[in-house]
Amino acid sequence: NRKVVNLQADGSAMYTNQALWTMAREKLDVCTVIYNNSAYAILSFELMRVGVENPGERARSMLDLSNPTIDWVSLATGMGVSASRATTVTEFREQFSAAMQTPGPRLIEVILQA
């Protein structure tokens, strides 16, 4: 009977975005916060771990999620989940506070600046 907070990166969320539909269908009290840095950052880290220090242009482009830019607010809304985008700490604080006060599924996309 408590709200669940799901912290998610944009790259890993691409593997499981159907969970948004499930959240809406089941009316789950889940707030998903997507940290959007427009990259599969974990895969960049894994390349370094296996010794690839200077990946080529093609490899780097495959880790870039900005071409095209993913609109998480539209994706969530299209699956029945209320959503918003925060570009500042103040916006995030306000949106997160509202999400904690409101039952049901919610997504907040947090735009991270490089």
Side-chain angles (χ1 to χ4, degrees), residues 6-32:
N6 171 31
L7 304 177
Q8 189 76 47
D10 56 341
S12 57
M14 287 295 290
Y15 292 106
T16 59
N17 61 10
Q18 71 273 14
L20 295 169
W21 182 82
T22 301
M23 288 167 42
R25 177 185 169 104
E26 301 299 324
K27 299 174 180 54
L28 300 176
D29 198 11
V30 176
C31 176
T32 297

Side-chain angles (χ1 to χ4, degrees), residues 45-83:
F45 179 71
E46 290 302 323
L47 279 176
M48 289 187 313
R49 286 180 51 164
V50 297
V52 179
E53 293 181 17
N54 294 311
E57 182 179 331
R58 178 134 169 91
R60 283 193 313 274
S61 75
M62 293 174 74
L63 304 177
D64 180 5
L65 294 178
S66 66
N67 185 21
T69 299
I70 300 166
D71 185 341
W72 287 101
V73 172
S74 292
L75 285 171
T77 301
M79 292 193 205
V81 174
S82 296

Side-chain angles (χ1 to χ4, degrees), residues 70-98:
I70 300 166
D71 185 341
W72 287 101
V73 172
S74 292
L75 285 171
T77 301
M79 292 193 205
V81 174
S82 296
S84 59
R85 180 174 294 113
T87 59
T88 68
V89 172
T90 300
E91 289 175 351
F92 174 71
R93 186 181 314 119
E94 292 168 358
Q95 293 171 26
F96 188 76
S97 178

Side-chain angles (χ1 to χ4, degrees), residues 33-45:
V33 178
I34 294 193
Y35 296 103
N36 185 344
N37 64 354
S38 296
Y40 278 119
I42 188 66
L43 296 181
S44 294
F45 179 71

